[in-house]
Amino acid sequence: KQEVTQIPAALSVPEGENLVLNCSFTDSAIYNLQWFRQDPGKGLTSLLLIQSSQREQTSGRLNASLDKSSGRSTLYIAASQPGDSATYLCAASYNTDKLIFGTGTRLQVFP
Amino acid sequence: EPEVTQTPSHQVTQMGQEVILRCVPISNHLYFYWYRQILGQKVEFLVSFYNNEISEKSEIFDDQFSVERPDGSNFTLKIRSTKLEDSAMYFCASSELGGAPYNEQFFGPGTRLTVL
């Protein structure tokens, strides 16, 4: 069964820290992996999409990597800010239309 | 920047009633999706839609659910006879391209459905 997990479930860090969020998937035949941000009671904002042929993608202070062989993706956030506080979700796509989501990491960045 | 919009933001209904959730996908997108998130749980795929047909659906998407693109801009999810367990946040998404690995999906803000 294709499953996606995220560890840790919650993370609290002081402002300015660099941090790494982890996403693991059971089936390495992944086609792409998408990272989202979800603010409380709100929708999902797409942050980065990494295709299976790519190893990483960067957008501003965010860098996402994909290692198919180990079944892992990481989202690196540089110089964290209180405005980064949100839940971060990863979602895997295989040879179908659907995204398979992880349970998310709830991030709090305090001043 | 173009975005997916959804109405209403919150819908309260009685068990057994029909509800229609509405979405306006990004204008040049051709692939449309519905997902749901029960409080405290993962986001789950319901259905994908392309060229006026369902292209994929999950086991959750049973005969109580239907989707429709009634005109050139709207995409709707209908639940015929709501159950308590249908209470969730429902997200609409769209993508310009279909099929992985190119189908980056963009999500709307969601409709919170509460079934009493």
Side-chain angles (χ1 to χ4, degrees), chain A residues 37 61-62 77-88 107-109:
Chain A
R37 168 186 173 135
R61 294 184 293 109
L62 304 180
I77 302 177
S80 58
Q81 302 171 357
D84 294 330
S85 299
T87 296
Y88 290 82
L107 172 67
Q108 182 181 10
V109 181

Side-chain angles (χ1 to χ4, degrees), chain A residues 34-91:
Chain A
Q34 200 167 347
W35 282 93
F36 294 89
R37 168 186 173 135
Q38 184 176 29
D39 292 282
K42 300 290 179 62
L44 309 178
T45 301
S46 179
L47 298 173
L48 290 163
L49 177 139
I50 314 176
Q51 297 175 16
S52 59
S53 59
Q54 300 170 325
R55 294 194 64 84
E56 63 179 65
Q57 281 285 335
T58 298
S59 176
R61 294 184 293 109
L62 304 180
N63 176 276
S65 66
L66 177 65
D67 185 341
K68 290 175 56 177
S69 61
S70 67
R72 290 184 62 187
S73 175
T74 60
L75 179 67
Y76 175 82
I77 302 177
S80 58
Q81 302 171 357
D84 294 330
S85 299
T87 296
Y88 290 82
L89 301 173
C90 66

Side-chain angles (χ1 to χ4, degrees), chain B residues 6 11 13 27 69 95 100:
Chain B
Q6 291 185 243
Q11 173 92 47
T13 190
S27 62
R69 186 153 166 83
S95 63

Side-chain angles (χ1 to χ4, degrees), chain B residues 56-70:
Chain B
E56 185 177 356
K57 61 182 181 179
S58 70
E59 58 271 16
I60 302 169
F61 194 88
D62 61 22
D63 293 343
Q64 292 299 313
F65 292 89
S66 63
V67 289
E68 189 180 27
R69 186 153 166 83

